[in-house]
Amino acid sequence: MESNRRVPAWAAALVGLVAGAVATGVSLLAAGVVKPGAFPVLAVGDAAVDLSPPWLKDWAIRTFGEADKTVLLAGVLTVLAALAAGVGVLSSRDTRYGQAVLACLGGIGLLAVLTRPGAGPADAVPALAGTAAGMVALSRLIRPRFVRRSLASGPGSPRPWFGGDPETAPVPPVMQAGEERYSLDRRGLLTGLLGGVVVAGATGAAGRLLSGGTEVDAARAGLALPTPSTSARPVPAGADLKIRGLSPFFTPNRDFYRVDTALIVPRVDPREWTLKIHGMVDRPVELTFADLMRRPLVEADVTLCCVSNEVGGPYIGNARWLGARLADLLREAGVQREADMLLSTSDDGWTCGTPVDVVMDGRDALLAVAMNGEALPVDHGFPARQVVPGLYGYVSATKWVTEIKLTRFDRDEAYWTPKGWAAKGPVKTQSRIDLPKPGTTLPPGRTVIAGVAWAQHKGVDAVEVRIDGGPWRQARLAEAPTADTWRQWVIDDWDAAPGRHTIEVRATDATGYTQTAAKAPVAPDGATGWHAVEVTVA
Ligand SMILES: Nc1nc2c(c(=O)[nH]1)N[C@H]1C(S)=C(S)[C@@H](COP(=O)(O)O)O[C@H]1N2
Ligand SMILES: [Mo]
């Protein structure tokens, strides 16, 4: 395509970008119709999460915290935009090259979509439709029809860029002559690009609307929570010291940490949700959400924490959960003697391995439907998730859970195990200083030191604090309703003298174990070491 040579690189890049946007918009629309999870951009991001090595994931969680997914999606979109611009430039040399690269990109999206857990043939539609739309947009836009004679005189208006058959449209004589008498028809280019942007925007918005899950939000909002058959133990009045800056005893849902591998959280309609309990059981069970809500529901206060929480880190929260006892459900299914693992799977294919004996030992291991008095927030597993006191979330707390398979640890592996995390993950006794905040400057005199300590299902017996490596002092412990929650602690008579100070904390649990000073990283089974905070008194 000789004439294409005169499309300047920046215009060609813009054309590529718009064609890419059209492809993305159309595939988003198709995904809205077929299945939101079949949006290829998302599938590529999901695949990137699954394929990236553990150190990269740890680094991403450490660096971006809970924004890690936004950063990843932004990354995928940036790479996509760069590639689309490249496709535009290539097309301005030879449209076949551009089209070929575009087809390859579509193929990658298709592959990602089809290899997602639970993908069916229909999931191919968004990737195919998007690629086709992108190719059409590219071929329409990259024709040299937005170049025109710079010396053109008379009323000749620029030829239409979109619509009209480029093969039959008359080629301006000057172009045939191959003379360098063209300049960019900015208006033609602009209308072309605008048209593409409109198509991309409209299809994209429609797609978002269709997959937006407004129905799920409505179903969640309309849910009436049954009264518990067993209420939580009353929370002692002294459980919350109500000190400003200290984590409250109950973490409000909006402040509750979120950790999962989902780029866009699964929106599961409770009317379509079922839970299958199968594998090494005598009587496989399939439960609907209505079945679950009709069961006796137990209320329990449980502190959930993440194995990726660094010493002193934020990935911990305490909530009041309402749910069916997993042990009852398992008994109904009849767990066979050799089964020692509950392999649970979420709607988006994530898996989690929980020891059967832990779930059956009488603790409040729940299939939860509510958190702090409301239906589970979508981010926290609506309509149902597991909660097991005493285990890190990655081995217990499956959100959007749809399947529980009874199996054996020597036969099956959950999501994080082959990626370098321990197959079993009991929570390690830990403590954190919330006040004073690290790095702050405080006035001299009486200063409150306060925080939380946890040893779920064992219970915290003591918390000690020391300053500048001096003698350990007993902190005053707030009460807790059970051993399954964290406990607040406080030292309110530290007389802070001017200078720099290091405050350290350590907890002792009800088994008599005192936190080790030895620092261990979060992988493979949880960090150890004492939380230390440095402050300046001046
Ligand atoms: N479906 C699903 N459930 C999941 C995870 C996940 O990646 N996917 N992550 C687990 C981990 S590692 C933790 S720590 C808890 C966090 O639960 P939260 O996000 O409600 O705080 O969820 C667990 N449940
Ligand atoms: Mo976690």
Side-chain angles (χ1 to χ4, degrees):
M1 280 236 170
E2 212 180 21
S3 48
N4 278 350
R5 249 184 255 131
R6 291 188 194 86
V7 180
W10 65 265
L14 264 181
V15 163
L17 271 176
V18 169
V22 168
T24 310
V26 168
S27 65
L28 194 55
L29 174 60
V33 177
V34 176
K35 174 170 137 194
F39 179 43
V41 177
L42 196 64
V44 168
D46 279 331
V49 172
D50 288 351
L51 293 177
S52 66
W55 61 263
L56 185 61
K57 267 186 254 202
D58 297 343
W59 174 82
I61 291 178
R62 260 200 317 280
T63 313
F64 305 116
E66 300 189 23
D68 56 348
K69 294 173 191 72
T70 320
V71 171
L72 174 64
L73 264 189
V76 172
L77 284 173
T78 309
V79 170
L80 202 62
L83 288 171
V87 163
V89 174
L90 257 186
S91 299
S92 70
R93 305 271 154 76
D94 186 326
T95 37
R96 284 166 309 180
Y97 292 158
Q99 297 286 15
V101 173
L102 194 65
C104 282
L105 290 176
I108 293 173
L110 186 63
L111 192 70
V113 166
L114 292 180
T115 51
R116 289 284 86 207
D123 292 15
V125 172
L128 293 176
T131 310
M135 291 173 83
V136 169
L138 192 64
S139 68
R140 290 296 173 110
L141 283 165
I142 207 67
R143 298 280 170 180
R145 273 168 301 160
F146 46 71
V147 291
R148 67 174 177 195
R149 283 181 71 173
S150 56
L151 304 176
S153 54
S157 63
R159 301 160 73 212
W161 62 277
F162 210 75
D165 184 357
E167 304 309 336
T168 55
V171 175
V174 183
M175 202 185 269
Q176 284 174 331
E179 289 172 40
E180 309 264 331
R181 281 222 209 125
Y182 298 87
S183 69
L184 191 68
D185 169 10
R186 281 162 199 275
R187 217 169 54 157
L189 173 68
L190 205 70
T191 21
L193 294 179
L194 271 180
V197 167
V198 168
V199 170
T203 49
R208 288 212 53 159
L209 257 178
L210 284 172
S211 55
T214 39
E215 277 187 40
V216 172
D217 290 334
R220 183 181 172 272
L223 202 73
L225 292 176
T227 34
S229 62
T230 312
S231 299
R233 286 265 200 94
V235 177
D240 201 323
L241 300 170
K242 302 222 161 69
I243 298 171
R244 251 184 85 161
L246 169 62
S247 306
F249 180 71
F250 285 115
T251 312
N253 289 354
R254 63 171 184 285
D255 298 337
F256 207 95
Y257 82 96
R258 173 186 160 208
V259 169
D260 53 59
T261 58
L263 281 182
I264 297 223
V265 292
R267 293 184 170 271
V268 182
D269 191 325
R271 286 158 297 200
E272 277 153 34
W273 178 89
T274 61
L275 176 72
K276 288 186 190 65
I277 303 179
H278 66 113
M280 298 165 74
V281 294
D282 297 334
R283 300 166 293 276
V285 170
E286 184 160 355
L287 203 69
T288 66
F289 193 68
D291 294 337
L292 176 56
M293 295 289 268
R294 274 195 296 270
R295 295 183 68 88
L297 297 181
V298 171
E299 218 179 36
D301 298 341
V302 177
T303 297
L304 181 62
C305 63
C306 182
V307 69
S308 297
N309 200 29
E310 308 273 351
V311 172
Y315 300 144
I316 178 161
N318 183 49
R320 172 158 295 180
W321 309 94
L322 175 72
R325 283 185 178 283
L326 277 168
D328 294 345
L329 283 164
L330 294 183
R331 264 191 292 273
E332 285 170 28
V335 176
Q336 292 166 4
R337 184 179 297 280
E338 322 83 73
D340 64 0
M341 181 205 219
L342 230 76
L343 184 69
S344 50
T345 307
S346 66
D347 181 70
D348 64 345
W350 185 82
T351 55
C352 169
T354 313
V356 169
D357 56 349
V358 170
V359 171
M360 302 300 284
D361 76 359
R363 73 184 75 195
D364 290 324
L366 302 181
L367 179 62
V369 295
M371 180 178 184
N372 289 328
E374 55 172 297
L376 285 177
V378 170
D379 281 358
H380 295 289
F382 181 77
R385 77 173 302 170
Q386 294 183 180
V387 178
V388 182
L391 301 182
Y392 287 122
Y394 83 110
V395 288
S396 69
T398 312
K399 305 191 270 189
W400 317 291
V401 61
T402 56
E403 192 185 323
I404 295 176
K405 175 180 158 196
L406 273 296
T407 176
R408 293 185 51 84
F409 277 95
D410 58 15
R411 249 180 239 174
D412 269 305
E413 259 186 339
Y415 184 88
W416 285 109
T417 311
K419 300 179 182 349
W421 298 82
K424 297 188 183 174
V427 172
K428 294 182 181 176
T429 300
Q430 265 294 348
S431 49
R432 182 178 76 193
I433 300 165
D434 286 349
L435 279 177
K437 302 271 172 241
T440 46
T441 300
L442 318 159
R446 210 167 154 150
T447 304
V448 170
I449 306 172
V452 283
W454 57 93
Q456 289 93 312
H457 209 61
K458 295 181 180 138
V460 173
D461 259 15
V463 170
E464 296 163 287
V465 172
R466 71 175 183 181
I467 305 206
D468 302 328
W472 288 102
R473 297 184 44 193
Q474 293 289 336
R476 179 159 66 84
L477 276 178
E479 290 176 87
T482 69
D484 293 343
T485 71
W486 60 14
R487 285 180 85 167
Q488 296 183 348
W489 56 264
V490 65
I491 290 224
D492 45 21
D493 59 352
W494 176 41
D495 189 11
R500 285 176 62 91
H501 299 290
T502 303
I503 308 168
E504 288 171 293
V505 66
R506 67 177 189 193
T508 299
D509 64 36
T511 70
Y513 169 82
T514 301
Q515 266 182 261
T516 171
K519 291 190 171 83
V522 293
D525 60 358
T528 64
W530 297 332
H531 188 210
V533 159
E534 295 196 6
V535 292
T536 305
V537 176

